[in-house]
Amino acid sequence: MIYQIYVRSFADSDGDGVGDLPGVRSRLRYLRELGVDAVWLSPFYPSPQADAGYDVADYRDVDPRFGSLADVDDLIREAHEWGLRIIIDLVPNHTSHEHRWFRAALAATPGSRERARYIFRDGRGQGGDEPPNNWGSNFGGLAWTRVTEADHTPGQWYLHLFTPEQPDLDWTNTEVRAEFESILRFWLDRGVDGFRIDVAHGLAKDPEMPDLAGHYAISGPAIEGHPHWDQDEVHEVYRAWRRITDGYPGDPTFVAEVWVASPQRLALYLRPDELHTAFNFSFLLAPWAAKALRAAVDESVAALAEVRAPTTWVLSNHDVIRHVTRYGGGEPGTRRARAAALLMLALPGGAYVYQGEELGLTEVTDLPDEVRQDPSFHRTAGAEPGRDGCRVPLPWSGQDPPFGFSPSGASWLPQPADWAELTVQRQESDPGSTLTLYRNALRLRRELPALGDGLMRWIEAGADVLAFRREPGFVCVVNVGGAPAEPPDDVLGADAVVLLTSAPIGSDGRVPGATAAWYRTG
Ligand code: NOJ
């Protein structure tokens, strides 16, 4: 299981209210006890934080908010001592506007080598006053910003698929390619075990840069043929990267963030000479409904089998509404989220857990506007609530905020008072807590040869029930519906033993609504 640490919200060691790398290091025991195999760290590089660190000003250093290079070295070393692998976040689609390359591009002239690292174009219309095309930023507004040239005249426009502080790099430029290959080596030489690739489907753009029209929303999801998402040219980049990691000991791996139109398109990134794994967002996006969940599982398993890549499963991350809330919130949401966790952890392949889901944290929906930091909130004048609600710092201990997150009273986003019930400290000693459920599930996942990689076979057990077998001797039954369901007794056999359930099962053996059960069979 790979555990996503959103560094600024995990643990703060120095009391500034922002989590940091020494904070992560101080909690390695927690990760080990939870049953984590690898940790993915969100970006910790020097950054003006226009997009919480996904605007990188220097790819070979650490922002003082989060620590120093020495802290990364210490963290890697100590994590390895605990048997944990470290995956870092690589952001190749765009830099920060404060990156030395972009500063140089602004100071240089149109047509210069400095501008050629980014996507600068002349504007359309009289005096070049109109943007080069109608593409929109993912966070609202235009995807183009006009610069003022050195002679103070209005100048060219540059592309930014995210905020204006995140100018897109031009990946047809060999200098850009060489730079990132060198960055990969820099971190591999320091001992990291892999990379999560940000916006891996965005690097290549249609050189014609056509206006978006018809079924392509101006800022919208990847659809086949889209001019800036999932262009075929992107695969060359990953083939070159794979050649680099293959030359390092310890099997460093890539996990790609790819939002593409279908599992078939996703599979292209996972061909044997490309990336090792990718997030499987079709599972995350599926509603709490048996048919939809089963279809997401089936399509993913089938598409990835074609390229012999392992499937991965994820329910939450720092960009989406936490799944307790997505599944309805309150008691029903928590119940479903617990069942979904046992479903995910029983499926074949790898699983990603986003910090706090093991505590059953909810989306914080009532953050006051003035504390919100996500650019998508500010760039849409609040029309989009943004992603701060899933990024609230973790509650570790105690009765009051910041619940052990920070040694001072500070916390960069306020935590709800009722998280006193959800602290690690409180849940550790509660056999019925979500933390205990995750720990037990992850322990079984390590112990049982049937779990993790391998095959699965569905068992037909009713329209609202997802049931499947893993060999040797394991069955998972998830009742997605509301009414109790009969377990598939003919498959389970008389000797079946209940290993773990997400909610108590009655003495009649029926699986209540929104409940998952793991069985050992004969
Ligand atoms: C995906 C990251 O997960 C998200 O947080 C970020 O805003 C965008 N990429 C842009 O880098």
Side-chain angles (χ1 to χ4, degrees):
M1 182 273 274
I2 299 142
Y3 184 86
Q4 180 189 354
I5 292 194
Y6 195 64
V7 177
R8 57 167 49 233
S9 301
F10 187 68
D12 171 22
S13 72
D14 58 7
D16 64 356
V18 178
D20 47 42
L21 295 170
V24 175
R25 206 171 124 219
S26 72
R27 301 285 181 179
L28 290 174
R29 175 185 292 275
Y30 171 76
L31 300 175
R32 196 59 232 173
E33 286 173 1
L34 178 59
V36 172
D37 300 305
V39 166
W40 151 31
L41 299 169
S42 54
F44 47 67
Y45 314 101
S47 161
Q49 306 286 322
D51 183 20
Y54 283 95
D55 47 324
V56 179
D58 181 352
Y59 290 83
R60 294 182 183 80
D61 205 348
V62 174
D63 195 298
R65 283 180 190 84
F66 301 126
S68 63
L69 271 179
D71 289 326
V72 184
D73 292 342
D74 289 346
L75 177 59
I76 294 173
R77 201 195 51 251
E78 221 174 290
H80 286 168
E81 283 165 17
W82 283 94
L84 299 165
R85 287 164 67 88
I86 295 283
I87 295 172
I88 62 170
D89 214 317
L90 188 71
V91 188
N93 181 66
H94 43 263
T95 69
S96 160
H97 67 142
E98 289 188 7
H99 191 282
R100 67 187 162 82
W101 271 6
F102 194 69
R103 290 178 179 212
L106 289 184
T109 51
S112 58
R113 170 181 172 186
E114 287 79 5
R115 290 228 169 150
R117 296 167 180 145
Y118 293 90
I119 303 180
F120 278 85
R121 294 286 181 276
D122 294 333
R124 294 194 287 200
Q126 230 196 347
D129 289 347
E130 310 272 327
N133 69 22
N134 71 352
W135 295 0
S137 147
N138 241 30
F139 295 147
L142 279 180
W144 295 94
T145 290
R146 193 170 197 186
V147 302
T148 304
E149 302 295 356
D151 63 3
H152 307 293
T153 56
Q156 288 194 298
W157 300 70
Y158 68 88
L159 180 72
H160 50 86
L161 293 180
F162 296 88
T163 70
E165 293 83 11
Q166 293 166 294
D168 280 50
L169 288 163
D170 185 343
W171 274 87
T172 63
N173 185 323
T174 51
E175 209 186 339
V176 170
R177 291 190 184 210
E179 172 68 356
F180 273 84
E181 292 177 13
S182 149
I183 292 166
L184 287 178
R185 290 183 194 280
F186 175 86
W187 289 106
L188 289 165
D189 289 340
R190 289 198 106 83
V192 304
D193 303 291
F195 301 91
R196 177 260 186 194
I197 308 169
D198 188 61
V199 203
H201 58 305
L203 273 46
K205 279 90 181 170
D206 180 339
E208 302 292 319
M209 304 224 137
D211 269 343
L212 283 161
H215 66 297
Y216 302 116
I218 285 178
S219 75
I223 298 175
E224 285 202 49
H226 194 286
H228 67 66
W229 296 136
D230 194 26
Q231 290 264 307
D232 288 335
E233 288 68 23
V234 80
H235 296 288
E236 285 164 33
V237 173
Y238 302 132
R239 283 190 201 105
W241 288 12
R242 180 62 181 260
R243 287 194 289 274
I244 293 177
T245 53
D246 279 352
Y248 275 81
D251 295 327
T253 46
F254 289 110
V255 54
E257 186 212 20
V258 275
W259 295 90
V260 290
S262 63
Q264 290 72 24
R265 293 294 304 178
L266 179 86
L268 296 178
Y269 290 74
L270 305 175
R271 288 174 285 193
D273 59 345
E274 292 196 39
L275 304 173
H276 306 81
T277 56
F279 292 110
N280 175 6
F281 294 118
S282 58
F283 181 65
L284 179 153
L285 293 171
W288 181 252
K291 211 168 151 195
L293 287 164
R294 181 165 168 166
V297 170
D298 277 343
E299 281 185 29
S300 307
V301 168
L304 272 54
E306 294 266 307
V307 288
R308 303 216 184 130
T311 37
T312 63
W313 312 100
V314 57
L315 289 166
S316 277
N317 66 30
H318 65 294
D319 290 329
V320 299
I321 295 174
R322 281 192 178 273
H323 60 276
V324 168
T325 305
R326 247 180 23 239
Y327 290 150
E331 228 278 307
T334 299
R335 213 182 149 95
R336 291 171 181 162
R338 290 169 59 101
L342 291 199
L343 166 61
M344 171 172 83
L345 294 172
L347 288 171
Y352 283 81
V353 169
Y354 174 48
Q355 65 177 45
E357 77 173 68
E358 78 279 19
L359 305 176
L361 296 190
T362 51
E363 184 81 3
V364 180
T365 51
D366 58 357
L367 289 169
D369 288 359
E370 59 282 6
V371 304
R372 288 188 182 270
Q373 298 204 10
D374 185 358
S376 64
F377 172 79
H378 295 286
R379 282 180 63 84
T380 60
E384 285 287 335
R387 303 161 293 174
D388 294 302
C390 64
R391 299 175 173 180
V392 174
L394 289 195
W396 291 94
S397 57
Q399 292 304 316
D400 302 300
F403 301 118
F405 164 68
S406 159
S408 71
S411 158
W412 72 278
L413 284 173
Q415 300 149 303
D418 61 8
W419 281 11
E421 303 295 317
L422 296 177
T423 62
V424 171
Q425 187 184 40
R426 180 70 81 92
Q427 295 199 40
E428 261 175 342
S429 52
D430 175 358
S433 73
T434 300
L435 179 58
T436 303
L437 178 73
Y438 270 76
R439 282 186 175 173
N440 287 339
L442 290 162
R443 182 177 41 77
L444 286 168
R445 201 173 139 92
R446 275 198 309 279
E447 284 171 14
L448 299 176
L451 295 184
D453 286 339
L455 301 173
M456 66 182 287
R457 214 149 18 98
W458 290 111
I459 302 164
E460 297 312 326
D464 282 339
V465 177
L466 296 173
F468 53 94
R469 192 201 272 283
R470 306 281 321 266
E471 299 298 351
F474 177 91
V475 167
C476 172
V477 174
V478 187
N479 181 0
V480 181
E486 296 296 336
D489 282 330
D490 47 331
V491 180
L492 289 173
D495 301 334
V497 177
V498 176
L499 294 169
L500 185 63
T501 63
S502 64
I505 286 197
S507 52
D508 59 1
R510 292 197 305 164
V511 181
T515 301
W518 285 5
Y519 304 86
R520 184 171 51 224
T521 61

Short mmCIF file of all heavy atoms in Angstrom, two decimals, residues 286-294 466 480:
data_model
loop_
_atom_site.label_atom_id
_atom_site.label_comp_id
_atom_site.label_asym_id
_atom_site.label_seq_id
_atom_site.Cartn_x
_atom_site.Cartn_y
_atom_site.Cartn_z
N ALA A 286 -16.28 6.42 -9.68
CA ALA A 286 -17.52 5.63 -9.70
C ALA A 286 -18.37 5.96 -8.48
O ALA A 286 -17.86 6.09 -7.38
CB ALA A 286 -17.18 4.15 -9.72
N PRO A 287 -19.68 6.10 -8.68
CA PRO A 287 -20.56 6.33 -7.53
C PRO A 287 -20.70 5.07 -6.69
O PRO A 287 -20.29 3.99 -7.13
CB PRO A 287 -21.90 6.70 -8.18
CG PRO A 287 -21.86 6.04 -9.53
CD PRO A 287 -20.41 6.03 -9.95
N TRP A 288 -21.27 5.21 -5.52
CA TRP A 288 -21.48 4.05 -4.65
C TRP A 288 -22.65 3.24 -5.20
O TRP A 288 -23.79 3.36 -4.78
CB TRP A 288 -21.74 4.51 -3.21
CG TRP A 288 -21.93 3.37 -2.26
CD1 TRP A 288 -23.10 2.97 -1.67
CD2 TRP A 288 -20.92 2.46 -1.79
NE1 TRP A 288 -22.90 1.87 -0.88
CE2 TRP A 288 -21.56 1.54 -0.94
CE3 TRP A 288 -19.56 2.33 -2.02
CZ2 TRP A 288 -20.88 0.51 -0.31
CZ3 TRP A 288 -18.87 1.30 -1.39
CH2 TRP A 288 -19.53 0.40 -0.55
N ALA A 289 -22.39 2.44 -6.20
CA ALA A 289 -23.42 1.62 -6.85
C ALA A 289 -22.71 0.40 -7.41
O ALA A 289 -21.65 0.52 -8.03
CB ALA A 289 -24.09 2.40 -7.97
N ALA A 290 -23.31 -0.78 -7.17
CA ALA A 290 -22.61 -2.03 -7.50
C ALA A 290 -22.22 -2.09 -8.97
O ALA A 290 -21.10 -2.45 -9.32
CB ALA A 290 -23.47 -3.22 -7.11
N LYS A 291 -23.17 -1.70 -9.82
CA LYS A 291 -22.91 -1.83 -11.26
C LYS A 291 -21.74 -0.95 -11.68
O LYS A 291 -20.84 -1.38 -12.41
CB LYS A 291 -24.18 -1.41 -12.02
CG LYS A 291 -24.35 -2.13 -13.30
CD LYS A 291 -25.74 -1.87 -13.85
CE LYS A 291 -25.63 -1.97 -15.36
NZ LYS A 291 -26.77 -1.41 -16.03
N ALA A 292 -21.75 0.29 -11.22
CA ALA A 292 -20.71 1.24 -11.62
C ALA A 292 -19.35 0.82 -11.06
O ALA A 292 -18.33 0.88 -11.77
CB ALA A 292 -21.06 2.64 -11.12
N LEU A 293 -19.32 0.36 -9.83
CA LEU A 293 -18.04 -0.05 -9.24
C LEU A 293 -17.50 -1.28 -9.97
O LEU A 293 -16.32 -1.36 -10.30
CB LEU A 293 -18.20 -0.34 -7.74
CG LEU A 293 -18.40 0.89 -6.86
CD1 LEU A 293 -18.93 0.51 -5.48
CD2 LEU A 293 -17.07 1.66 -6.69
N ARG A 294 -18.41 -2.20 -10.24
CA ARG A 294 -17.96 -3.42 -10.92
C ARG A 294 -17.45 -3.10 -12.32
O ARG A 294 -16.43 -3.63 -12.76
CB ARG A 294 -19.12 -4.44 -10.97
CG ARG A 294 -18.70 -5.72 -11.64
CD ARG A 294 -19.68 -6.84 -11.38
NE ARG A 294 -19.38 -7.95 -12.27
CZ ARG A 294 -19.87 -9.16 -12.12
NH1 ARG A 294 -20.66 -9.44 -11.11
NH2 ARG A 294 -19.56 -10.13 -12.98
N LEU A 466 -21.12 -6.99 -4.57
CA LEU A 466 -19.88 -7.27 -5.29
C LEU A 466 -19.18 -8.37 -4.50
O LEU A 466 -18.84 -8.16 -3.33
CB LEU A 466 -18.98 -6.04 -5.31
CG LEU A 466 -19.49 -4.82 -6.05
CD1 LEU A 466 -18.55 -3.64 -5.83
CD2 LEU A 466 -19.62 -5.12 -7.53
N VAL A 480 -23.34 -3.43 -1.42
CA VAL A 480 -23.40 -2.01 -1.75
C VAL A 480 -24.83 -1.48 -1.50
O VAL A 480 -25.05 -0.28 -1.35
CB VAL A 480 -22.96 -1.80 -3.22
CG1 VAL A 480 -22.97 -0.34 -3.61
CG2 VAL A 480 -21.55 -2.37 -3.44
#
